[in-house]
Amino acid sequence: MECASGAKVLNFNLERPTRPMALVVPRTVGPSATRTAKSILAPAARLMGGVVTLRIIVELAASLAVPTLPLRHNPPIPPLLDQMVAVALPLEVRHVTPMANLAVVVLLMDIAGKPPTIAVLDAKADARIPPVAEEEPRRRLPALRPPRLKNLFSASQLQLLVPVPRPLTEPAVPPTVTRSVAIGHRVAAAPHMAYFCGKTTAHCGTGCQSGPCSGPPVQPAPGPSPAPANPNGGTIKIAPASSTNPLVQAGVPAMHAGLMQNGRVVFLDKVEKFTQIKLANGQWAYSAEYDPATNKVVGLPYKTNAFCSGGAFLADGRFVSIGGNAPLTDIDPTVGDGFTGVRYLKRSATDASLNGQAWSEPGNKISSARWYASVQTMPDGTLFVASGSLNGLDPTEPKNNNPTYEILNAQGISSGNKIPLEILNKNQPYYMYPFIHLLNDGQLFIAVSKSAEIFNVGTNTVTKALPDLPGDYRTYPNTGGSVLLPLSSANGYAPDILICGGGAYQDITSPTDPSCGRIQPLAATPKWEMDSMPEGRGMVEGTLLPDGTVIWLNGCNLGAQGFGVAKNPTLEVLIYDPAKPLGQRWTTGPSSTIARLYHSVSLLMLDGTMMIAGSNPVEQPILTPVPNKVPSEDFVTEFRVEFYTPPYLSGANANKRPTGVTLSSKSLTANGSTFTIKFTAPAGNKAAKVALYHGGFVTHSLHMNHRMVFLDTTGYQAGATSQTLTVKMPPNHNVAQPGPYVVYVTVDGVPAVGQFVSVA
């Protein structure tokens, strides 16, 4: 019997009421597979009233063809389990090495006490093998966790829909479930992160905490749309090695990054077995300061592990990293626990003595452990810190998660209180590294998974639940990118937000999403305007340019975030022009030759070019690919740095820069006050703009606090080479929070070299 979903129905006629048990076995036969099968199946069979031989299990597993899903943070749980709750009690498997190829076996036990039989879910045929006695391993059976089924299931006939493997290039098919009467149940399964599937409308279905889906189906997301090549798409070049050491490039893996006031870029990484720089204490450096003018890089010590932290710039200009992960004392005993760590780095545009100084960690902590937390600067300079894992363990287990937020004051010191945030709670396990943007009314736009809302921090209330974003998951471990598009007074600084990319589940086989959703959250009736990139991308990140366009870089076409779970790197630059009509916004630029996968960054430099760095998709650095490894080690730790020259500085535009930019003040206030800018423009100029730009804290495709405001100006004289503009600052801190910014002057779209200012 064939079904519309492309699955086959396998019928099991049962003479007696049964108690089904779903189990996991490795498909690939080998030493680790044998150990795993033995550790899982034998004690389970004992519990069910019989035992099975390892030989039989391995022979059966070798021929199975059921697509499944291993998790990086959790022993593998097949996607069938989350949709099989009507017929199976899932077995929670702990402390088992994740494997790429798994299969599902259902153990059927006769309640009357007869030995169990084994039903193998295969797209071709089913099999029943009688049990054979074997010595039971001395291993305690993990706990059973029935998500919805409380009682034993009884039926005269059982029907299971078993998915037939599809080409990996096809989009994931959402699970669909229908229930029949007492004759039996019909269950269709699709890959999923785990059987814990959240409580939102974006996570509904039989087996989910929210129950079956109700209401009309979500609008389908568009597939990839071809985009023309930009006639002047720019160029990408690999930066030369350090001027003082030809063997050093970035110095450390670029997991986190920020452009500092001295024009240099700070990279921040986790504890590693090796990097490119040794510190004075003999340990490897896990942070570095990179000078793009000389390609010189120096190591920066820190005291706590910054692995997958969040961050921001404080109002006083300091760069802060918040949260992290556990110490690895066997690698470096000098670096402590970073789960509650707070790290500060101070740099200056005028005080060169600060260059190369270490991170400061005075010892203050956040209120609770946070790994993969997002940070948003509020109008008063305080920090909204949200989400994170408590321990780095399985995110499908709520006890491991921290779906809360806390407030740090303007000096980066925690209030000591954590407050539940329901959008994170409902969207577990897709709750980490949420997208957060400050809106012009002082509220926050928060998006996680496929859900979004407007949240009032002052009253701790959701003021508007926004429509679900069609398509796949958009946040970790299938993160796309999110950009707050340029703000201006032309529409009252109304926010316009674009989210692109994503994926279906955390595995190297996961398809990625080409679709983008654009929304004006404060509109009377906000809705997602759907668009799409030329290809699906996960781990893609958007960076604003001073001319108002957005550059999308990095990522993969297949896979997800995590160690060794991505391939098919997406190398091409995508250029998005938000001012153009729908269907005409995308063009393509040049392609890199370097894969930028998990733990990559991109950010705008003072000269208007973009730095591209990072990619460390392995648990510990490797310099040479290792084929046929699970998880994959096909892609190395990348230390090379690239610079992308956008269209506005390519070709003839390279000689059209405004020069001699002079600001009347570099200490500015977001209260509608004015300052002046003098500069020299090329002959024949037609238009000039001034952008107030904040690059933010960059990590894992997120650019936390990233924003740009086009400032109102008067005094421009078309064609004149000597220009003096009077520039009006934003009206309040809802539009421009306090902190460091860069002022870019553009003439006919070509930027001058930017200058750092401080906004109070």
Side-chain angles (χ1 to χ4, degrees):
M1 175 179 175
E2 293 290 333
C3 301
S5 64
K8 287 187 176 181
V9 175
L10 306 180
N11 295 306
F12 302 103
N13 292 315
L14 310 175
E15 296 178 356
R16 295 172 178 266
T18 60
R19 184 181 195 176
M21 173 73 70
L23 301 177
V24 186
V25 297
R27 187 189 305 167
T28 303
V29 179
S32 60
T34 300
R35 288 194 300 270
T36 304
K38 184 175 180 179
S39 64
I40 297 172
L41 290 170
R46 180 193 63 186
L47 178 74
M48 302 301 292
V51 292
V52 293
T53 65
L54 185 61
R55 178 182 60 80
I56 291 175
I57 293 301
V58 172
E59 287 177 356
L60 289 174
S63 64
L64 295 180
V66 179
T68 55
L69 171 62
L71 300 177
R72 181 172 70 84
H73 294 302
N74 185 49
I77 297 176
L80 283 176
L81 295 190
D82 73 323
Q83 298 299 331
M84 284 177 56
V85 293
V87 297
L89 295 175
L91 176 68
E92 182 183 24
V93 183
R94 295 182 181 275
H95 310 302
V96 180
T97 302
M99 309 186 70
N101 297 311
L102 302 171
V104 175
V105 172
V106 175
L107 215 61
L108 302 173
M109 187 193 78
D110 189 303
I111 296 299
K114 291 183 179 180
T117 58
I118 302 171
V120 181
L121 302 188
D122 195 344
K124 297 179 180 179
D126 60 283
R128 294 192 178 196
I129 306 296
V132 180
E134 165 183 77
E135 181 182 357
E136 299 173 7
R138 295 180 180 179
R139 184 176 184 274
R140 188 175 182 181
L141 184 69
L144 300 177
R145 301 178 61 245
R148 290 181 65 83
L149 185 63
K150 301 291 186 181
N151 302 314
L152 300 181
F153 174 72
S154 176
S156 59
Q157 186 183 57
L158 184 65
Q159 289 186 333
L160 296 180
L161 275 175
V162 180
V164 176
R166 60 179 181 271
L168 295 178
T169 55
E170 293 183 8
V173 179
T176 56
V177 178
T178 58
R179 290 192 176 191
S180 60
V181 292
I183 295 299
H185 292 262
R186 178 174 295 173
V187 182
H192 198 284
M193 183 172 180
Y195 59 84
F196 187 97
C197 45
K199 301 178 182 177
T200 71
T201 55
H203 292 80
C204 64
T206 298
C208 295
Q209 285 76 0
S210 57
C213 298
S214 61
V218 176
Q219 170 191 352
S225 301
N230 191 295
N232 185 21
T235 58
I236 296 178
K237 293 184 178 180
I238 300 174
S242 168
S243 57
T244 57
N245 187 341
L247 299 179
V248 175
Q249 292 108 2
V252 302
M255 181 185 295
H256 319 77
L259 177 66
M260 307 301 290
Q261 295 90 326
N262 57 5
R264 301 177 180 182
V265 173
V266 165
F267 298 130
L268 183 63
D269 188 35
K270 62 184 176 68
V271 174
E272 308 279 17
K273 289 184 177 178
F274 70 88
T275 62
Q276 291 185 321
I277 304 174
K278 278 286 185 79
L279 299 172
N281 65 357
Q283 300 292 337
W284 295 107
Y286 315 121
S287 180
E289 184 173 355
Y290 182 96
D291 185 353
T294 63
N295 302 307
K296 182 179 179 180
V297 61
V298 295
L300 306 177
Y302 67 47
K303 298 178 183 178
T304 57
N305 191 357
F307 184 15
C308 298
S309 62
F313 282 91
L314 298 177
D316 63 11
R318 286 179 296 165
F319 195 50
V320 60
S321 161
I322 298 170
N325 206 286
L328 297 175
T329 54
D330 57 325
I331 296 176
D332 189 342
T334 70
V335 175
D337 192 325
F339 272 114
T340 58
V342 183
R343 309 158 201 88
Y344 307 86
L345 194 68
K346 184 177 181 180
R347 294 294 184 266
S348 169
T350 57
D351 185 358
S353 68
L354 297 175
N355 296 348
Q357 288 193 9
W359 289 83
S360 172
E361 298 182 64
N364 52 293
K365 305 289 185 181
I366 52 177
S367 67
S368 59
R370 297 186 187 273
W371 184 53
Y372 285 90
S374 293
V375 182
Q376 175 63 51
T377 304
M378 300 301 294
D380 60 358
T382 58
L383 301 182
F384 177 88
V385 181
S387 190
S389 170
L390 292 169
N391 49 29
L393 300 178
D394 178 8
T396 69
E397 286 282 1
K399 65 185 179 182
N400 298 323
N401 303 340
N402 194 355
T404 69
Y405 73 90
E406 62 185 277
I407 302 296
L408 277 61
N409 68 16
Q411 289 72 47
I413 299 174
S414 176
S415 63
N417 299 316
K418 64 175 183 177
I419 304 168
L421 188 58
E422 184 60 16
I423 192 172
L424 302 181
N425 181 50
K426 291 189 300 184
N427 281 284
Q428 297 176 81
Y430 284 86
Y431 77 103
M432 292 184 281
Y433 272 158
F435 297 139
I436 307 177
H437 300 288
L438 177 67
L439 306 179
N440 65 334
D441 64 355
Q443 299 188 99
L444 297 181
F445 169 90
I446 303 176
V448 62
S449 181
K450 305 175 187 181
S451 303
E453 68 182 22
I454 299 173
F455 184 75
N456 188 310
V457 179
T459 62
N460 189 37
T461 57
V462 177
T463 58
K464 183 180 291 186
L466 299 171
D468 290 336
L469 175 56
D472 285 329
Y473 299 111
R474 306 291 182 164
T475 51
Y476 182 86
N478 296 107
T479 301
S482 178
V483 175
L484 174 66
L485 295 173
L487 303 170
S488 75
S489 66
N491 63 354
Y493 305 99
D496 197 353
I497 294 167
L498 178 67
I499 297 176
C500 289
Y505 48 90
Q506 190 185 32
D507 184 50
I508 200 167
T509 64
S510 172
T512 54
D513 198 324
S515 70
C516 301
R518 182 169 166 179
I519 194 169
Q520 296 179 356
L522 295 180
T525 308
K527 61 181 180 179
W528 293 100
E529 178 190 70
M530 299 305 294
D531 198 351
S532 62
M533 300 178 288
E535 61 188 345
R537 288 197 175 196
M539 297 179 282
V540 63
E541 54 190 294
T543 304
L544 294 164
L545 294 185
D547 65 353
T549 59
V550 187
I551 300 299
W552 294 84
L553 292 166
N554 302 341
C556 68
N557 182 246
L558 202 62
Q561 289 172 300
F563 297 131
V565 290
K567 59 182 179 180
N568 295 7
T570 45
L571 304 174
E572 191 173 49
V573 172
L574 301 180
I575 305 167
Y576 180 86
D577 188 343
K580 290 188 174 180
L582 179 65
Q584 302 176 30
R585 294 168 181 164
W586 293 97
T587 57
T588 62
S591 293
S592 172
T593 59
I594 301 175
R596 303 289 185 182
L597 300 174
Y598 192 43
H599 296 153
S600 298
V601 297
S602 69
L603 62 165
L604 184 69
M605 308 301 290
L606 289 177
D607 66 359
T609 64
M610 284 183 60
M611 172 187 280
I612 310 167
S615 193
N616 189 23
V618 288
E619 188 169 357
Q620 287 294 327
I622 61 171
L623 300 179
T624 304
V626 183
N628 303 317
K629 291 277 286 185
V630 179
S632 170
E633 293 186 1
D634 290 345
F635 297 97
V636 301
T637 303
E638 189 56 66
F639 290 97
R640 288 174 293 177
V641 175
E642 294 172 290
F643 286 95
Y644 168 57
T645 301
Y648 57 41
L649 289 174
S650 298
N653 289 340
N655 300 317
K656 296 181 180 179
R657 274 190 187 274
T659 58
V661 177
T662 304
L663 280 63
S664 61
S665 175
K666 293 187 178 181
S667 296
L668 308 175
T669 305
N671 60 0
S673 57
T674 61
F675 66 102
T676 60
I677 300 179
K678 295 182 179 181
F679 60 94
T680 300
N685 60 84
K686 299 177 181 179
K689 286 187 174 183
V690 176
L692 186 66
Y693 189 99
H694 185 84
F697 183 99
V698 181
T699 187
H700 291 76
S701 306
L702 282 77
H703 292 218
M704 300 178 191
N705 292 288
H706 187 27
R707 66 175 45 217
M708 184 175 76
V709 185
F710 283 123
L711 304 179
D712 292 339
T713 66
T714 57
Y716 171 72
Q717 299 179 14
T721 56
S722 180
Q723 299 280 358
T724 300
L725 303 183
T726 299
V727 184
K728 187 177 182 179
M729 285 292 290
N732 54 54
H733 289 128
N734 296 340
V735 178
Q737 313 98 299
Y741 287 77
V742 177
V743 169
Y744 290 100
V745 176
T746 63
V747 174
D748 298 331
V750 180
V753 175
Q755 297 187 27
F756 264 100
V757 299
S758 175
V759 173

